[in-house]
Amino acid sequence: MIFDSVYNSFRGVEVIFRIFNGTLHKGDRIKFVNTDQEYFADEIGILGVKQIPQQTMSAGNVGYLISGIKVAKEVKVGDTITHVKRPCSGVIQGFENVKPMVFAGIYPVDTTEYEELRASMEKLQLNDASLVWEPETSAALDLASDVDSLECYTWRSSKSD
């Protein structure tokens, strides 16, 4: 079961998980059940103060998985990881898609800063899969972004003259 993920600009999304039953080997073809995404377990290991790479992990281990995932939305907390060739008989109960709780409209002070705002939102989304945003237009306020999230963020834009 996936319980966290962290984006690393060199390795992609690092999935943090716990094995409830079975084993996982480096190189196994795996599937995230609820998102229906398939990957190879390029690197697996035990999670400690330092990541300790392993060839095999078994029930009870808490570890990390690196598969070259570049989009944080593909990793959902609570999802079940299984083998493609030997899928599990049932998923771990309790998975739900994240429901945003904070809603905000964000507008740049100067419309020329819109692309900078867009790039910043995309970077933020890499580290927070619960962040949902979409561009919005308003006749009164010009281009903007609607933001839905579980957390409250504060954005500040400053320029030195």
Side-chain angles (χ1 to χ4, degrees), residues 36-51:
D36 204 34
Q37 298 288 328
E38 293 183 10
Y39 305 99
F40 284 100
D42 296 333
E43 182 179 325
I44 59 172
I46 301 214
L47 194 60
V49 175
K50 286 186 167 185
Q51 294 178 336

Side-chain angles (χ1 to χ4, degrees), residues 21-68:
N21 60 37
T23 59
L24 177 63
H25 302 279
K26 179 180 176 180
D28 280 352
R29 184 117 176 108
I30 57 169
K31 178 179 180 178
F32 294 176
V33 176
N34 291 294
T35 58
D36 204 34
Q37 298 288 328
E38 293 183 10
Y39 305 99
F40 284 100
D42 296 333
E43 182 179 325
I44 59 172
I46 301 214
L47 194 60
V49 175
K50 286 186 167 185
Q51 294 178 336
I52 306 165
Q54 303 288 308
Q55 292 296 315
T56 302
M57 294 178 64
S58 58
N61 287 141
V62 173
Y64 68 94
L65 164 72
I66 297 172
S67 297

